[in-house]
Amino acid sequence: MEIVIVPDAAAGGELIASAIAELVTRKPDALVGVATGSTPLPIYTALTAKVAGGLDVSRVRICQLDEYVGLPAGHPESYRSTVIRQVVEPLGLSEASFIGPDGTAEDVAAEAIHYDRALAEAGGVDFQILGIGTDGHIGFNEPCSSLASRTRIKTLTEQTRVDNARFFEDDIEQVPHHVITQGIGTILEARHVVLLATGANKADAVAATVEGPLSALVPASALQLHPHATVVVDEAAAAGLKLADYFRATYAAKPSWQSI
Ligand code: F6R
């Protein structure tokens, strides 16, 4: 894993957007996996600025990481609506270039299998953006998810529902209990996985992910198995890292031609 400590969330967003821009320049129809939540917003802001500055993303395809089960189609907090609002529209993409699981499907299990297949048929994810839950989840693979899991239905922990109540008028009753999420095994198939973590409330999860043992109790620790995983953290989220100085020195000494 490469660990990059940046001064703040905006710097993390810029670094990751630059890596996506490089990818898209090399592979114009790249499949980029997007996460929702607060953390990736600086990435989308920086990427939107690059598009305004001339970056051509017209052939880029995007795919969703997860989706709430049971929110009505078009609900503003469904992840489909969120991605359309935060990524598809600002980047000027078409909805046709965007795939995600249908959280309103009657047969959720079949929908999950169908989505895993759709990702494979699309040629696999080139660049997967991830956030991290305070409990160490990636996607919505909550603690004790199988490290080999495929896309499937999961039940959110109480902690995650509390964390996400802010998107539902601070009313936990409105936060769905179930989600369809790419499995950890699915996420690990992406060619490059980039996790952004910002803020002091992520420091424990980041330390466990990066320096703790590989454990289903900390789903993000599965990234230790990935041949090209990058963890970008701001100073606050890096606060629990024992090897922070080593990570800083390693990144500072990186050849300028080599991106994350
Ligand atoms: C969202 C997702 C989640 C979030 C995580 C952190 O699509 O998969 O894993 O990345 O819950 O959320 P924020 O960024 O809001 O703290």
Side-chain angles (χ1 to χ4, degrees), residues 196-211:
L196 176 63
T198 52
N201 65 333
K202 300 294 174 68
D204 289 347
V206 166
T209 297
V210 173
E211 295 176 344

Side-chain angles (χ1 to χ4, degrees), residues 90-102:
L91 296 186
L93 304 176
S94 72
E95 283 193 38
S97 64
F98 167 37
I99 57 171
D102 178 1

Side-chain angles (χ1 to χ4, degrees), residues 35-40 65-66 79 130-133 137-140 164 166-167 202:
T36 51
S38 306
T39 310
L65 187 55
D66 39 25
Y79 283 169
L130 295 176
I132 185 170
H137 69 226
I138 48 173
F140 276 127
N164 286 5
R166 67 189 194 281
F167 298 115
K202 300 294 174 68

Side-chain angles (χ1 to χ4, degrees), residues 2 22 66 78 81 181 209 211 217 233-234 238 249 255 259:
E2 177 177 37
E22 263 178 55
D66 39 25
S78 78
S81 301
T181 181
T209 297
E211 295 176 344
L217 198 54
V233 287
D234 70 357
S259 95

